[in-house]
């Protein structure tokens, strides 16, 4: 009788234990499903493929800011930029006051670090600019961000037959355009990727673009020289939208190539460097290059800028020589 009781008790215990195990497994399964659902809802990158290979790698992103916007991001005594670095964990650097991206009157900002930290910093920066410069336009303001990307990395963003950039546009709902290579600036190997949309749309597009760039082993090499535009310090060609080139007027196209005309913009505060004392510098540049040089009157600026017009007329070789000499005059003082 004792043995029969023990057997019955053991059977009841086994059945109870199996029931507990099944209940526990069911609970764990439900918890896992619930957690996965929450992660999908909260993750801003839920449609991205896993990027575990790249998330812990340091990289960077560069984009353009006007001088006024740069001042806002720096803040009084550097307070704002210090706060953004502290909150994001990324490093934020700006090109110097007169170190502009070629073809614009805009400075370059570089944010570097881990991908997530970079995205936090970029969102802080763009959010600050929206609050300060677009507050009166209401919610869901659509603005532009001009990313600076090496020409060699643009192919990865475009993809075969434009498939990648099309998928980024569909995913983010932002407008994404890549500027053509500007051949007016020898040694310039960067292009502008223009992202248009609300802050949320821009951030999603920047995230997709950044993850694509991280896959490019050559992209990270550009971090060694973040602002390689010293030769263009204080010099602005054409309109300030980053897409234009020099103002060129070829009056005659003959074999002797004698009468080409090119106008460049020089920051008003630097025009004295081109003129020199009693016009000495401009006379020297004209004599050495063989180009005729004319500087616009005070107040006569390149449209949309505070840059004086410097017009050089002569052969293409003479214009290139004069241009180079003007560059050196302005760059040398700006460097000091």
């Amino acid at each position: 009788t004792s043995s029969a009781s023990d057997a019955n008790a053991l059977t009841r215990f086994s059945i109870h234990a199996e029931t507990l195990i099944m209940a526990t497994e069911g609970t764990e399964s439900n918890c896992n499903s619930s957690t996965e659902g929450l992660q999908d809802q909260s993750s801003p990158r839920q449609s991205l493929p896993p990027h575990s290979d790249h998330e812990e790698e340091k990289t960077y992103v560069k984009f353009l800011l006007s001088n006024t916007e740069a001042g806002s991001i720096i803040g009084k005594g550097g307070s704002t930029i210090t706060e953004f670095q502290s909150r994001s964990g990324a490093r934020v650097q700006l090109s110097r006051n007169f170190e502009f991206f070629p073809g614009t009157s805009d400075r370059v900002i570089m944010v570097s670090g881990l991908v997530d930290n970079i995205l936090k910093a970029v969102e802080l920066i763009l959010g600050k600019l929206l609050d300060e410069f677009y507050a009166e336009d209401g919610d869901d303001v659509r603005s532009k961000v001009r990313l600076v990307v090496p020409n060699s990395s643009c192919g990865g963003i475009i993809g075969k037959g434009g498939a990648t950039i099309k998928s980024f546009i569909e995913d983010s709902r932002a407008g994404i355009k890549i500027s053509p290579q500007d051949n007016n600036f020898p040694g310039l190997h960067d292009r502008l990727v223009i992202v248009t949309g609300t802050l949320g749309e821009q951030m999603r597009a920047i995230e997709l673009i950044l993850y694509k760039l991280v896959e490019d082993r050559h992209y990270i090499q550009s971090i060694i020289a973040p602002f390689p535009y010293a030769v263009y310090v204080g010099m602005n060609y054409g309109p300030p939208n980053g897409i234009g080139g020099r103002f060129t007027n070829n009056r005659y196209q003959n074999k002797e190539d004698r009468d080409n005309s090119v106008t460049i913009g020089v920051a008003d505060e630097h025009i004295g460097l081109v003129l020199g004392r009693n016009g000495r510098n401009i006379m020297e540049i004209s004599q050495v290059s063989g180009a005729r040089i004319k500087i616009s009157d005070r107040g006569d600026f390149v449209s949309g800028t505070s840059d004086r017009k410097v017009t050089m007329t002569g052969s293409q070789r003479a214009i290139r020589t004069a241009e180079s000499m003007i560059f050196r005059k302005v760059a040398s003082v700006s460097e000091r």
Side-chain angles (χ1 to χ4, degrees):
T1 305
S2 174
S3 298
S5 298
D6 290 346
N8 289 334
L10 182 60
T11 301
R12 285 197 302 273
F13 175 79
S14 299
I15 292 170
H16 181 63
E18 286 177 6
T19 304
L20 283 174
I21 290 168
M22 289 172 67
T24 303
E25 287 176 346
T27 304
E28 286 177 353
S29 176
N30 289 337
C31 285
N32 287 337
S33 300
S34 174
T35 305
E36 286 170 5
L38 285 172
Q39 286 174 342
D40 285 347
Q41 290 173 9
S42 61
S43 172
R45 297 198 295 271
Q46 54 185 314
S47 61
L48 277 174
H51 289 281
S52 57
D53 292 343
H54 301 298
E55 287 204 351
E56 295 305 315
E57 292 183 14
K58 288 192 175 181
T59 187
Y60 72 97
V61 67
K62 293 195 288 191
F63 53 100
L64 302 187
L65 295 178
S66 69
N67 245 333
T68 306
E69 290 171 335
S72 171
I73 298 307
I74 293 168
K76 190 173 182 180
S79 59
T80 304
I81 197 170
T82 301
E83 179 196 347
F84 286 177
Q85 289 185 116
S86 176
R87 287 173 63 183
S88 67
R91 186 182 183 192
V92 182
Q93 298 168 271
L94 273 156
S95 63
R96 285 167 296 181
N97 204 17
F98 294 105
E99 194 165 277
F100 302 132
F101 185 80
T104 78
S105 51
D106 296 316
R107 292 164 71 177
V108 182
I109 186 168
M110 184 174 84
V111 184
S112 56
L114 301 179
V115 172
D116 279 345
N117 295 349
I118 290 172
L119 293 170
K120 287 176 191 173
V122 171
E123 189 164 13
L124 287 169
I125 291 165
L126 298 184
K128 166 82 170 169
L129 297 178
L130 280 175
D131 290 343
E132 196 151 325
F133 298 101
Y134 297 91
E136 296 178 359
D137 297 337
D139 297 331
D140 294 330
V141 175
R142 294 181 68 81
S143 59
K144 287 183 181 180
V145 179
R146 290 164 295 161
L147 305 178
V148 179
V149 177
N151 188 44
S152 59
S153 300
C154 286
I157 298 172
I158 296 168
K160 190 174 182 180
T164 303
I165 195 170
K166 185 180 178 183
S167 71
F168 288 178
I169 291 169
E170 290 174 351
D171 187 321
S172 66
R173 299 185 179 180
I176 305 173
K177 292 183 179 179
I178 300 179
S179 70
Q181 177 73 27
D182 193 338
N183 296 318
N184 284 322
F185 305 98
L188 175 63
H189 303 296
D190 292 332
R191 289 162 74 177
L192 296 179
V193 178
I194 303 158
V195 180
T196 307
T198 64
L199 178 59
E201 291 167 350
Q202 287 175 334
M203 287 307 304
R204 178 61 177 163
I206 292 168
E207 182 178 27
L208 292 164
I209 290 167
L210 185 55
Y211 271 116
K212 176 57 69 174
L213 291 173
V214 170
E215 296 173 4
D216 181 355
R217 293 294 171 186
H218 298 291
Y219 176 72
I220 192 63
Q221 294 173 1
S222 303
I223 202 169
I224 299 168
F227 310 117
Y229 314 116
V231 70
Y232 306 112
V233 172
M235 301 294 298
N236 304 307
Y237 285 76
N241 59 11
I243 308 301
R246 298 181 297 177
F247 298 98
T248 307
N249 174 28
N250 294 330
R251 296 178 188 172
Y252 304 104
Q253 282 290 48
N254 56 32
K255 293 180 181 179
E256 296 180 359
D257 192 24
R258 285 178 179 166
D259 213 357
N260 297 289
S261 179
V262 170
T263 299
I264 62 174
V266 175
D268 194 33
E269 61 266 35
H270 290 157
I271 207 69
L273 303 171
V274 181
L275 280 168
R277 187 186 293 272
N278 298 322
R280 187 175 300 168
N281 287 355
I282 197 169
M283 287 173 61
E284 177 193 358
I285 294 169
S286 183
Q287 288 173 358
V288 171
S289 67
R292 299 187 301 280
I293 303 170
K294 181 182 178 182
I295 297 175
S296 65
D297 296 331
R298 285 186 179 179
D300 183 8
F301 299 132
V302 173
S303 179
T305 75
S306 57
D307 301 335
R308 299 272 288 278
K309 301 171 186 174
V310 179
T311 302
M312 299 162 290
T313 304
S315 68
Q316 290 184 1
R317 182 175 181 178
I319 290 170
R320 283 196 299 269
T321 303
E323 212 170 359
S324 176
M325 293 179 74
I326 292 170
F327 268 141
R328 287 198 295 270
K329 292 286 185 191
V330 176
S332 62
V333 172
S334 296
E335 284 292 319
R336 289 202 295 272

